[in-house]
Amino acid sequence: MSLRGELDLANADDLRKRLRAARAAHGDHVVLDLADLEFMDSQGLSVLVNCYKAVTAAGGSLTLAGPRPIVRRTLEITGLHRRMRIVRSLEEALPPAR
């Protein structure tokens, strides 16, 4: 799933719903493409934390791909970069094609 623009109070609930639907349809190994995400506040972080907890409790994973420096810095300040898998690009996050 690709995120664009800002992830904040205005759209955090929408993302929660989209993540639940994606997990129901595709399973508990979630990849979020953050390359076009320009800003994330505490509400956005909360969505990521809740998703991380839910997928890992179900035996899955959450990978954050290509965060911009400002988003990556937010993840580092909060220490989430130590818990969540963060990779440089979407290609790095996805399994190799067979």
Side-chain angles (χ1 to χ4, degrees):
M1 178 181 304
S2 295
L3 304 183
R4 290 178 172 43
E6 298 182 356
L7 176 53
D8 55 19
L9 177 63
N11 54 21
D13 283 335
D14 179 55
L15 179 58
R16 265 190 200 89
K17 292 174 189 170
R18 289 176 46 211
L19 286 169
R20 269 190 239 118
R23 288 181 54 221
H26 304 288
D28 289 311
H29 293 283
V30 176
V31 175
L32 295 179
D33 181 0
L34 305 183
D36 293 325
L37 186 65
E38 297 171 0
F39 173 78
M40 179 171 53
D41 71 2
S42 62
Q43 291 298 311
L45 285 170
S46 175
V47 173
L48 295 185
V49 168
N50 289 332
C51 180
Y52 172 80
K53 287 179 178 180
V55 297
T56 56
S61 63
L62 174 63
T63 302
L64 307 177
R68 292 178 179 208
I70 192 165
V71 173
R72 185 175 187 90
R73 182 73 181 132
T74 302
L75 295 166
E76 290 170 353
I77 288 169
T78 58
L80 293 175
H81 71 292
R82 289 195 242 14
R83 295 185 158 254
M84 298 177 185
R85 181 175 178 237
I86 302 173
V87 296
R88 287 174 284 181
S89 68
L90 184 58
E91 293 75 24
E92 190 177 337
L94 300 175
R98 293 181 183 196

